[in-house]
Amino acid sequence: MRAPELTTLCYLERDGAYLMLHRNRKKEDVNAGKWIGVGGHFEPSESPEDCMKREIYEETGLTVTSWRFRGIVTFLTDGGICEYMHLFTCDAWQGEEIPCDEGDLEWVEKSRVPSLPLWEGDRIFLDLIARSSPFFSLKLSYHGDRLVSAELDGKPLAVG
């Protein structure tokens, strides 16, 4: 198994909607066709907050000014990838939104989000965010695109 990947993901919130990224532009994108929040990989010596703020700026042109660190999501794949994703929500920013080279940015009503093509594990953490759950650790194991197991704070969750 290779070294774990460190990433961030943030859901910007405004008027009952999330800023979602429809991943439809990059070739060989593990997230191709999916709708996700905004984020990406850590650069050397970045904190989770540094990475989150930089990625949001690079992908949206917005400078966040108020955020909440919601949890750690551990992704395991049958391909030997382990990713530790630092999950945030954001409710204030400055600047003008710009187009993203990784896909289309769109403000999506929160009630519409579950009907979008999402990773199954994303549905779990989006529900935790919607319920204002305290800081959590979520472990998600995938076989291909299929979620095969999940644990919340070390306790198994039903999947499927």
Side-chain angles (χ1 to χ4, degrees):
M1 186 174 270
R2 55 186 152 187
E5 297 179 16
L6 299 174
T7 63
T8 60
L9 188 68
C10 187
Y11 288 88
L12 283 74
E13 301 177 273
R14 177 182 78 188
D15 301 326
Y18 287 131
L19 183 59
M20 302 288 291
L21 176 58
H22 185 205
R23 298 291 294 244
N24 59 3
R25 293 206 180 125
K26 284 176 72 175
K27 292 183 191 243
E28 298 185 35
D29 184 354
V30 69
N31 294 304
K34 301 275 196 270
W35 290 78
I36 63 172
V38 178
H41 288 82
F42 279 53
E43 290 186 354
S45 65
E46 281 186 323
S47 70
E49 293 81 7
D50 293 338
C51 178
M52 175 268 302
K53 292 188 288 184
R54 177 185 52 77
E55 286 287 345
I56 289 172
Y57 182 76
E58 289 176 1
E59 294 182 2
T60 71
L62 303 174
T63 301
V64 299
T65 57
S66 174
W67 60 87
R68 184 173 163 201
F69 195 174
R70 305 303 294 267
I72 300 283
V73 182
T74 303
F75 291 99
L76 301 174
T77 71
D78 54 338
I81 294 173
C82 176
E83 175 185 341
Y84 298 115
M85 184 184 76
H86 302 73
L87 182 64
F88 293 86
T89 53
C90 173
D91 61 4
W93 53 86
Q94 299 172 334
E96 300 274 330
E97 193 177 309
I98 61 170
C100 180
D101 62 2
E102 296 182 10
D104 297 321
L105 291 167
E106 182 180 328
W107 287 97
V108 179
E109 292 294 323
K110 291 179 184 181
S111 62
R112 261 191 58 224
V113 170
S115 67
L116 298 173
L118 304 171
W119 289 101
E120 285 305 308
D122 291 17
R123 296 177 193 286
I124 297 170
F125 65 68
L126 285 167
D127 180 62
L128 292 167
I129 290 171
R131 292 188 286 125
S132 293
S133 292
F135 191 89
F136 57 86
S137 174
L138 180 64
K139 182 177 179 182
L140 304 169
S141 297
Y142 283 89
H143 183 78
D145 283 355
R146 189 172 57 89
L147 182 64
V148 294
S149 69
E151 294 178 12
L152 178 59
D153 296 326
K155 298 178 180 105
L157 295 175
V159 296

